[in-house]
Amino acid sequence: MWLKPEEVLLKNALKLWVTQKSSCYFILQRRRGHGEGGGRLTGATLEEINQHWDWLEQNLLHTLSVFDNKDDIASFVKGKVKALIAEETSSRLAEQEEEPEKFREALVKFEARFNFPEAEKLVTYYSCCCWKGRVPRQGWLYLSINHLCFYSFFLGKELKLVVPWVDIQKLERTSNVFLTDTIRITTQNKERDFSMFLNLDEVFKIMEQLADVTLRRLLDNEGFDLDPGLQEPSQITKRDLEARAQNEFFRAFFRLPRREKLHAVLDCSLWTPFSRCHTAGRMFASDSYICFASKEAGCCKVILPFREVVSIEKMEDTSLLPNPIIVSIRSKMAFQFIELTDRDSLVESLLARLKQVHADHPVHYDTTRDEDLTSSVFHSTSMCGDHRFGRIEMVSSQNSEEREKEMSPQLHPEALVAGFRRSGSQSPDSRLPREQIKMRLWDDHFVEYGRTVCMFRTEKIRKLVAMGIPESLRGKLWLLFSDAVTDLASHPGYYGNLVEESMGKCCLVTEEIERDLHRSLPEHPAFQNETGIAALRRVLTAYAHRNPRIGYCQSMNILTSLLLLYTEEEEAFWLLVAVCERMLPDYFNHRVIGAQVDQSVFEELIKEQLPELAEHMQDLSALASISLSWFLTLFLSIMPLESAVNVVDCFFYDGIKAIFQLGLAVLEANAEDLCSSKDDSQALMVLSRFLDHIKNEDSPGPPLGSHHAFFSDDQEPCPMTDIADLIRDSYEKFGDQSVAQIEHMRCKHRIRVLQGHEDTTKQNVLRVVIPEVSVLPEDLEELYDLFKREHMMSCYWEQPRPVALRHDPSRPYAEQYRIDARQFARLFQLVSPWTCGAHTEILAERTFRLLDENMDHLIEFKAFVSCLDVMYNGEMNEKIKLLYRLHIPPALTENDRDSQSPLKNPLLSTSRPLVFGKSSGDAVDYQKQLKQMIKDLAKEKDKTEKELPKMSQREFIQFCKTLYSMFHEDPEENDLYQAIATVTTLLLQIGEVGQRGSSSGSCSQEAGEEPQAPVPSPEQDSVFADTHNGKSPRESQAFPEAAQGDWTVSLEHILASLLTEQSLVNFFEKPLDIKSKLENAKINQYSLKTCEMNRQSQPELKLSSP
């Protein structure tokens, strides 16, 4: 218990507090009359209190002597104590997690209650309430890798709730009438509220992480291959999620490559010479970096690439400097860290990674140079050019002349703006002295804070950046702030090789690049000649060759043009890599997901920071759409270039936060005009005029004519706004957003954006399919959900899945979700009206082969629904035609699974004449009726329709078997069996008539010798006779080819024969209800999948058992 240690005096009373111990900084007191005789003081024993006092004396007393005033001392001590409390709390939570027995018990209940396949791994579970209207249901919430599940058994009623993460459209914390804090889960049709958690913050965080990870894994194919963690969902645990969140925060905070893996996060203090004290913070150690961030936001940040590190050493442990280590870098700077726990193992691991990095990129030092530099001059076999920054020079081990000879085509050796200046285009004016003043400020800053990538990054440097970086330093500082300089140094010759490999190749990407080359900053003289255009072409083409997943996206040309103005060509390439692959993740791809996520975040920030504007413009999507170019081009496309470069300065230092806050400042400056605007076009005009009239008073170059805004001459002149003032306002008013807050909002809005794309895909697919089928739109929507869920279930539990089966958003809408034969068979069993018992699976296989027209073993939703539409809503002739096609190639194959059925044996027909009974008792020969029916059908037949091949005897047998299977368990089963027997006998005789007719000319003698088939007995099937007794040699052959080729019936024969039986006509024309099937499918889809996976695993168990 921490109290303000002051004595309390009362008139004519004794002191209330008695001093036990004291020092120059601390005092330990107890209440008079309390705590004597070894009793408890403030909830702790006297021994514990003495231990804490000793710790204060040993660890803090000597450190506090460096502070100048009492306020600094108090602030430091409070921060240290809070850190200790936080560390103890986190360790206590970790101990609570280590309860394997309870987790195993929960896992058994989870598996029993929800019956998922074994691959559905439980991550964690919580006790909570699920609200159903105003009624809370107490139960257990289970969070697995693919689903959120809730189970409750209350007052004899069981409640089970299963929500796939991929179906969640919104996840938010909210409140209802009864509780102040609940977690609301929104799916397509429902909202569910969960509350009464012991630790709601933890639960919400894990829910958000699981939803984000699952959506990225299943819906964001473009990011799937870039993140190995997404490819092994079975390895996800609660700790893995926490480590992943920490990893992502680390990479976002320091803007490091995606491949960086965080190894350790340690509380420590770093000596900061500019403040002459140790600054409390945290050390982050990853594969290639040591980073430090102060606990006080914005106080200090340091990035130390291992490539720049010379040595890591332990110092002598003293009371003043507990557990210190020294990290020395090339520029003769050293960073002192103290108060590191487990220092020995930390140094050992850091040295191992340092050795690995130096082995990959050898470095040796140049001691022959004696220039007066603030940094050592060194030669590196990893450097790719001469890079001079301030008074620091980095010299390549390769001779620049040799490199120029080797490199083909010739790369532009300098920044384009440098050549532009020499050409005399710049007109000196009074603004040049301002540039010189900025240079002096930056030089002074370099002396105190460092001048390399390892510089101390503080609030002071942020203010310098906000003023605008001097043009002579701009390119180099961009390289340092983005850490592109490390990539540049680590990949010698990489860019030159890319240029050689990519130039001259012609493809769709290069055509797009060529179209946009002359649209890239056309107002700037540097891109009005072939030198600038050629450099731009090389950089864009090389990047497209490096990263074909991104290739080239519009707006990359504008950004690259600016980079080429201030950096050398190779430097511009690595800056583009830094922007596309880590500073603006997922911006430059097929769907620009990253930009849309940040648009959505910006919309939320408008509601928070500018509520009056948000209230007036209730539909903020218009503002969000206007702002898309702000994010994609960093204001370069809608602001004069000399002003926009200052925005880019802030972006390279502060990342996307700079764009958010500048966007808010622009809206605030125009809030009054925007509120009075009548429509979106007028709001767009207001913003365009404002942005076009932003000037840069400090720009040393002449102003370039802007062509961005569109406004007529008769409008009032728009007042000019200085970019420095606008940026300063943005930092002062909206600069309080932290990286953690932005990343949290991005996570939340990524769910909404990805689900928005899913809804768009669904609506576009349905829009195409609805006009072509008779299924009701609401039923079609449910069919789409079933189809998509079937695809998803295979992604959940079947690993590894072929790449072709993954959701691919780059494909046309109709082809994004496709299913294979097994998935189709399950859906067919669930929703098809043609259920044939054990024969259903075989019929599903044939249907799949029929629909798989391009033979890629996948079918899309449109083909699936078209087939179902015929089954449910087709006319009788359409249904019979579909059945007919299912029993001829390609649907029926020689290797059909049903080929071993006795039905494959030769069919023995009856020779009895067939007559149809008439009510008058007269008998009419069937041949006249059939001829007339066939003539009528032929007239109706579409002239352009391709005639179907005739059906062989083997195919006809399978057709008959399917019909028999379809009639099973039908209320009119007996009548249908009798009718189909009659029709089948008729068709057999028709086939024989045709067979005799075709063989009479060439083999009449053989036909005459052919033995008659015996008449089947009444006990036997009226269609199929047993051929085991009295078999002739020809009969014993399985489908003699000659007989198969001769015995045929056509679709017209079959249809005409079926029309003679009213019971068959009624069967095929009776209305069918798809809604009941859909309801049943939604209930049983998961259980059917689980049963199939269990069947597949049983043979494996049998094989593995002794």
Side-chain angles (χ1 to χ4, degrees):
M1 177 174 164
W2 290 81
L3 300 173
K4 192 173 184 181
E6 294 179 355
E7 294 181 353
V8 180
L9 298 177
L10 296 176
K11 190 176 182 181
N12 301 322
L14 297 172
K15 294 178 180 178
L16 294 178
W17 295 90
V18 178
T19 299
Q20 294 284 106
K21 296 182 180 181
S22 65
S23 68
C24 53
Y25 296 108
F26 300 100
I27 184 168
L28 177 63
Q29 294 183 328
R30 65 172 174 82
R31 283 285 301 276
R32 183 175 295 278
H34 295 77
E36 297 174 326
R40 296 179 66 84
L41 285 170
T42 63
T45 64
L46 187 61
E47 182 181 359
E48 289 173 333
I49 291 172
N50 286 328
Q51 288 177 355
H52 294 164
W53 180 266
D54 294 338
W55 188 91
L56 290 172
E57 286 188 326
Q58 293 171 9
N59 293 280
L60 290 185
L61 285 183
H62 301 291
T63 307
L64 297 179
S65 60
V66 301
F67 292 98
D68 296 331
N69 57 67
K70 292 182 179 180
D71 291 337
D72 291 343
I73 293 173
S75 176
F76 177 80
V77 173
K78 287 178 182 176
K80 190 67 182 175
V81 171
K82 287 179 181 177
L84 289 171
I85 294 171
E87 183 177 348
E88 184 180 359
T89 303
S90 62
S91 63
R92 190 163 60 246
L93 289 173
E95 288 175 5
Q96 291 173 359
E97 286 179 12
E98 299 297 331
E99 296 179 312
E101 291 299 328
K102 287 188 177 181
F103 187 83
R104 274 196 289 269
E105 183 182 341
L107 179 60
V108 170
K109 290 181 179 178
F110 169 72
E111 291 174 346
R113 288 167 175 171
F114 297 100
N115 194 31
F116 285 124
E118 290 183 8
E120 185 67 15
K121 184 176 178 181
L122 179 65
V123 176
T124 188
Y125 64 99
Y126 299 96
S127 172
C128 70
C129 279
C130 176
W131 290 80
K132 194 172 183 181
R134 296 186 177 184
V135 180
R137 297 289 296 267
Q138 178 63 37
W140 290 93
L141 181 71
Y142 298 91
L143 306 181
S144 66
I145 55 175
N146 297 303
H147 299 86
L148 176 151
C149 305
F150 178 80
Y151 178 86
S152 172
F153 187 82
F154 184 66
L155 296 177
K157 291 185 178 180
E158 186 179 55
L159 172 66
K160 288 184 184 180
L161 177 67
V162 177
V163 181
W165 293 115
V166 78
D167 287 353
I168 292 178
Q169 297 184 337
K170 191 188 296 183
L171 187 63
E172 57 189 342
R173 293 177 65 167
T174 182
S175 59
N176 61 24
V177 179
F178 307 99
L179 292 171
T180 57
D181 212 356
T182 62
I183 297 176
R184 175 167 294 170
I185 293 166
T186 305
T187 56
Q188 184 178 359
N189 301 316
K190 291 184 180 178
E191 288 184 348
R192 302 277 186 181
D193 287 342
F194 298 89
S195 63
M196 297 188 186
F197 294 97
L198 291 176
N199 190 341
L200 189 134
D201 291 334
E202 176 192 306
V203 178
F204 184 72
K205 186 176 180 182
I206 290 179
M207 280 186 177
E208 217 169 32
Q209 289 173 329
L210 278 169
D212 181 58
V213 166
T214 308
L215 285 171
R216 283 208 242 181
R217 174 165 59 91
L218 298 176
L219 302 185
D220 187 11
N221 208 39
E222 293 161 327
F224 177 79
D225 295 326
L226 301 175
D227 193 342
L230 296 179
Q231 298 169 26
E232 289 295 333
S234 61
Q235 304 302 316
I236 293 175
T237 64
K238 188 176 175 182
R239 287 190 174 183
D240 289 335
L241 289 172
E242 292 169 355
R244 180 184 178 85
Q246 198 171 43
N247 248 314
E248 290 182 346
F249 169 77
F250 163 69
R251 290 194 295 262
F253 187 79
F254 296 102
R255 295 195 296 281
L256 299 179
R258 284 192 184 192
R259 65 178 180 273
E260 278 304 304
K261 183 179 179 183
L262 186 63
H263 293 285
V265 181
L266 302 165
D267 286 329
C268 66
S269 295
L270 171 67
W271 176 256
T272 48
F274 53 88
S275 60
R276 301 190 306 283
C277 70
H278 283 90
T279 299
R282 282 185 169 183
M283 173 192 284
F284 300 81
S286 68
D287 293 333
S288 307
Y289 294 85
I290 300 172
C291 302
F292 175 85
S294 61
K295 290 187 177 176
E296 184 182 344
C299 176
C300 176
K301 184 166 75 171
V302 175
I303 298 174
L304 306 175
F306 276 126
R307 181 175 171 72
E308 297 295 320
V309 175
V310 175
S311 65
I312 302 172
E313 301 170 302
K314 290 183 285 187
M315 287 179 62
E316 183 181 353
D317 188 6
T318 66
S319 58
L320 281 172
L321 300 173
N323 295 328
I325 68 170
I326 296 290
V327 179
S328 302
I329 63 171
R330 291 172 177 167
S331 55
K332 294 184 178 178
M333 286 180 67
F335 295 85
Q336 182 191 76
F337 298 90
I338 63 170
E339 299 175 344
L340 287 158
T341 56
D342 200 9
R343 178 182 62 161
D344 294 343
S345 62
L346 172 67
V347 171
E348 185 179 347
S349 63
L350 291 177
L351 286 173
R353 289 198 291 276
L354 177 66
K355 182 178 179 181
Q356 183 63 46
V357 170
H358 281 208
D360 294 339
H361 306 287
V363 175
H364 65 274
Y365 293 90
D366 180 9
T367 56
T368 62
R369 304 283 296 271
D370 56 357
E371 298 166 316
D372 181 19
L373 302 175
T374 60
S375 169
S376 60
V377 179
F378 60 93
H379 286 274
S380 167
T381 58
S382 305
M383 298 304 297
C384 351
D386 300 342
H387 306 287
R388 186 180 293 275
F389 172 39
R391 293 177 301 235
I392 300 177
E393 187 177 14
M394 297 177 282
V395 187
S396 170
S397 60
Q398 287 182 307
N399 185 281
S400 59
E401 293 181 3
E402 293 176 1
R403 184 165 57 84
E404 287 177 4
K405 290 177 184 177
E406 292 173 4
M407 208 166 281
S408 177
Q410 182 70 44
L411 304 183
H412 196 65
E414 61 181 357
L416 294 177
V417 78
F420 170 57
R421 289 197 201 102
R422 283 199 304 272
S423 66
S425 300
Q426 178 181 329
S427 54
D429 60 14
S430 61
R431 289 181 287 188
L432 286 178
R434 298 183 189 177
E435 193 81 354
Q436 294 167 0
I437 293 171
K438 286 184 184 179
M439 281 295 300
R440 283 198 295 271
L441 290 173
W442 277 96
D443 283 337
D444 293 342
H445 186 274
F446 292 147
V447 171
E448 189 172 5
Y449 293 86
R451 63 176 63 245
T452 68
V453 70
C454 305
M455 67 172 68
F456 290 97
R457 306 178 192 213
T458 66
E459 195 62 37
K460 185 176 179 181
I461 197 171
R462 179 177 280 117
K463 291 177 181 177
L464 286 174
V465 171
M467 292 167 56
I469 298 175
E471 297 227 338
S472 56
L473 296 180
R474 179 164 277 139
K476 299 303 178 185
L477 282 174
W478 287 354
L479 285 167
L480 295 186
F481 292 155
S482 65
D483 195 37
V485 67
T486 301
D487 288 333
L488 171 68
S490 303
H491 297 83
Y494 177 84
Y495 174 68
N497 293 335
L498 275 182
V499 171
E500 287 186 2
E501 292 171 10
S502 60
M503 294 306 290
K505 293 185 177 179
C506 187
C507 61
L508 183 61
V509 171
T510 56
E511 291 175 7
E512 292 177 358
I513 291 173
E514 287 297 325
R515 276 201 305 270
D516 287 347
L517 286 177
H518 294 278
R519 306 174 190 168
S520 310
L521 302 185
E523 70 274 17
H524 199 287
F527 295 99
Q528 295 171 358
N529 58 65
E530 185 54 32
T531 302
I533 295 295
L536 180 60
R537 178 186 294 112
R538 288 192 293 270
V539 173
L540 292 175
T541 308
Y543 185 78
H545 191 70
R546 163 193 165 86
N547 192 344
R549 189 171 294 277
I550 290 178
Y552 168 76
C553 293
Q554 286 189 343
S555 78
M556 286 173 66
N557 59 320
I558 297 173
L559 178 60
T560 307
S561 301
L562 180 74
L563 300 178
L564 284 168
L565 287 178
Y566 294 99
T567 60
E568 297 176 15
E569 189 175 319
E570 188 173 12
E571 294 170 341
F573 170 80
W574 287 110
L575 279 171
L576 183 64
V577 170
V579 171
C580 293
E581 296 178 13
R582 61 174 180 265
M583 296 189 74
L584 294 177
D586 302 325
Y587 263 58
F588 303 97
N589 55 29
H590 175 69
R591 299 188 294 175
V592 292
I593 292 291
Q596 291 185 51
V597 170
D598 283 346
Q599 269 186 290
S600 192
V601 171
F602 186 58
E603 196 172 320
E604 182 178 342
L605 289 173
I606 294 172
K607 293 175 183 176
E608 288 181 3
Q609 304 285 346
L610 302 170
E612 293 181 3
L613 177 63
E615 186 178 352
H616 178 78
M617 302 188 70
Q618 294 182 353
D619 183 11
L620 292 175
S621 58
L623 284 181
S625 61
I626 292 170
S627 66
L628 180 61
S629 61
W630 301 0
F631 294 104
L632 283 173
T633 67
L634 308 178
F635 285 91
L636 289 169
S637 64
I638 40 84
M639 192 184 286
L641 181 63
E642 62 272 14
S643 302
V645 291
N646 284 31
V647 178
V648 179
D649 293 341
C650 297
F651 167 75
F652 275 114
Y653 185 77
D654 266 325
I656 195 63
K657 171 187 171 181
I659 307 301
F660 282 134
Q661 63 194 32
L662 187 67
L664 290 171
V666 168
L667 293 181
E668 189 205 35
N670 294 275
E672 187 176 340
D673 292 338
L674 288 172
C675 287
S676 61
S677 60
K678 298 176 182 178
D679 51 33
D680 294 344
S681 61
Q682 190 173 352
L684 174 61
M685 185 77 72
V686 168
L687 291 173
S688 297
R689 292 182 71 237
F690 175 82
L691 290 166
D692 197 67
H693 286 80
I694 294 178
K695 62 180 179 178
N696 186 353
E697 295 284 357
D698 296 339
S699 176
L704 297 171
S706 175
H707 63 287
H708 307 301
F710 45 91
F711 51 92
S712 56
D713 296 333
D714 58 349
Q715 288 180 315
E716 294 181 8
C718 184
M720 303 298 288
T721 304
D722 187 47
I723 185 63
D725 295 336
L726 190 63
I727 290 175
R728 186 179 62 252
D729 287 347
S730 75
Y731 274 103
E732 290 176 355
K733 296 177 181 178
F734 309 107
D736 56 349
Q737 296 293 329
S738 67
V739 172
Q741 289 171 318
I742 290 174
E743 289 303 306
H744 176 260
M745 286 191 286
R746 277 178 161 179
C747 179
K748 178 171 68 174
H749 289 282
R750 188 181 295 112
I751 294 174
R752 298 181 187 179
V753 169
L754 288 173
Q755 291 291 14
H757 278 274
E758 289 300 296
D759 288 342
T760 301
T761 299
K762 178 178 179 178
Q763 295 307 319
N764 280 300
V765 171
L766 295 180
R767 191 178 296 118
V768 171
V769 174
I770 284 174
E772 300 187 12
V773 297
S774 302
V775 182
L776 294 175
E778 57 267 25
D779 295 336
L780 205 58
E781 194 169 337
E782 291 195 14
L783 276 171
Y784 181 90
D785 293 338
L786 288 170
F787 187 88
K788 177 181 172 181
R789 191 175 300 124
E790 191 64 45
H791 168 93
M792 287 298 174
M793 284 195 299
S794 296
C795 296
Y796 294 159
W797 302 314
E798 297 181 18
Q799 297 290 343
R801 299 294 293 166
V803 177
L805 297 184
R806 281 189 46 76
H807 169 60
D808 186 359
S810 64
R811 298 180 68 89
Y813 289 119
E815 299 177 16
Q816 289 188 19
Y817 287 108
R818 297 180 293 168
I819 57 176
D820 61 17
R822 279 190 305 164
Q823 296 164 339
F824 177 82
R826 287 192 295 271
L827 275 181
F828 188 90
Q829 184 175 344
L830 287 168
V831 297
S832 170
W834 292 354
T835 50
C836 312
H839 192 66
T840 304
E841 194 171 346
I842 296 166
L843 188 62
E845 290 177 3
R846 294 173 184 166
T847 309
F848 182 85
R849 285 194 291 266
L850 177 65
L851 298 177
D852 184 22
E853 295 179 353
N854 57 359
M855 305 294 288
D856 64 351
H857 307 293
L858 296 167
I859 64 165
E860 57 199 49
F861 179 69
K862 183 179 177 181
F864 171 71
V865 172
S866 300
C867 177
L868 278 183
D869 186 50
V870 172
M871 294 178 182
Y872 277 98
N873 304 310
E875 299 290 338
M876 179 178 174
N877 60 329
E878 293 174 328
K879 294 178 181 179
I880 300 303
K881 181 178 179 181
L882 175 59
L883 276 171
Y884 185 91
R885 293 181 66 196
L886 291 176
H887 294 86
I888 59 174
L892 187 72
T893 64
E894 287 294 331
N895 299 320
D896 194 281
R897 276 206 297 156
D898 202 37
S899 60
Q900 302 306 318
S901 165
L903 300 177
K904 189 176 179 182
N905 293 331
L907 192 68
L908 301 179
S909 65
T910 178
S911 59
R912 291 179 299 171
L914 185 66
V915 294
F916 296 108
K918 304 279 283 186
S919 58
S920 61
D922 298 333
V924 179
D925 189 0
Y926 71 89
Q927 291 185 357
K928 293 181 180 180
Q929 285 188 340
L930 289 180
K931 286 180 181 178
Q932 186 60 40
M933 290 179 184
I934 291 171
K935 286 180 182 179
D936 294 340
L937 287 169
K939 290 178 183 177
E940 297 175 3
K941 188 175 180 181
D942 188 0
K943 304 296 183 184
T944 60
E945 184 179 356
K946 185 179 178 182
E947 187 175 353
L948 291 173
K950 291 186 177 182
M951 184 178 280
S952 68
Q953 190 181 66
R954 169 181 174 262
E955 294 160 358
F956 178 69
I957 294 171
Q958 297 300 322
F959 178 84
C960 293
K961 182 174 182 181
T962 299
L963 289 177
Y964 265 78
S965 303
M966 287 171 63
F967 300 152
H968 183 58
E969 294 186 357
D970 189 276
E972 306 295 328
E973 183 176 1
N974 291 333
D975 292 342
L976 290 169
Y977 281 158
Q978 187 175 356
I980 195 62
T982 304
V983 169
T984 306
T985 307
L986 167 61
L987 286 168
L988 288 171
Q989 292 189 354
I990 293 174
E992 287 180 354
V993 169
Q995 184 179 19
R996 292 191 194 100
S998 62
S999 59
S1000 60
S1002 58
C1003 48
S1004 57
Q1005 189 175 359
E1006 285 185 34
E1009 295 172 358
E1010 186 173 350
Q1012 289 284 328
V1015 178
S1017 64
E1019 290 80 11
Q1020 289 179 313
D1021 193 302
S1022 59
V1023 182
F1024 313 112
D1026 189 357
T1027 59
H1028 290 289
N1029 299 322
K1031 283 192 282 186
S1032 69
R1034 180 168 298 188
E1035 290 166 359
S1036 63
Q1037 298 176 20
F1039 284 94
E1041 290 185 11
Q1044 272 196 357
D1046 293 336
W1047 192 101
T1048 59
V1049 291
S1050 67
L1051 171 63
E1052 289 77 11
H1053 289 142
I1054 292 175
L1055 185 56
S1057 301
L1058 290 171
L1059 288 172
T1060 63
E1061 293 292 333
Q1062 189 61 44
S1063 58
L1064 294 177
V1065 173
N1066 294 341
F1067 176 83
F1068 283 106
E1069 290 191 345
K1070 68 181 177 183
L1072 300 171
D1073 180 26
I1074 194 174
K1075 291 186 184 295
S1076 59
K1077 280 280 188 179
L1078 293 175
E1079 288 300 320
N1080 183 64
K1082 285 190 288 187
I1083 296 170
N1084 296 320
Q1085 191 171 19
Y1086 272 90
S1087 57
L1088 188 65
K1089 174 72 174 177
T1090 303
C1091 291
E1092 181 186 303
M1093 294 192 70
N1094 290 339
R1095 284 200 306 270
Q1096 292 172 356
S1097 62
Q1098 283 172 0
E1100 296 175 6
L1101 293 173
K1102 290 178 182 177
L1103 288 172
S1104 60
S1105 61

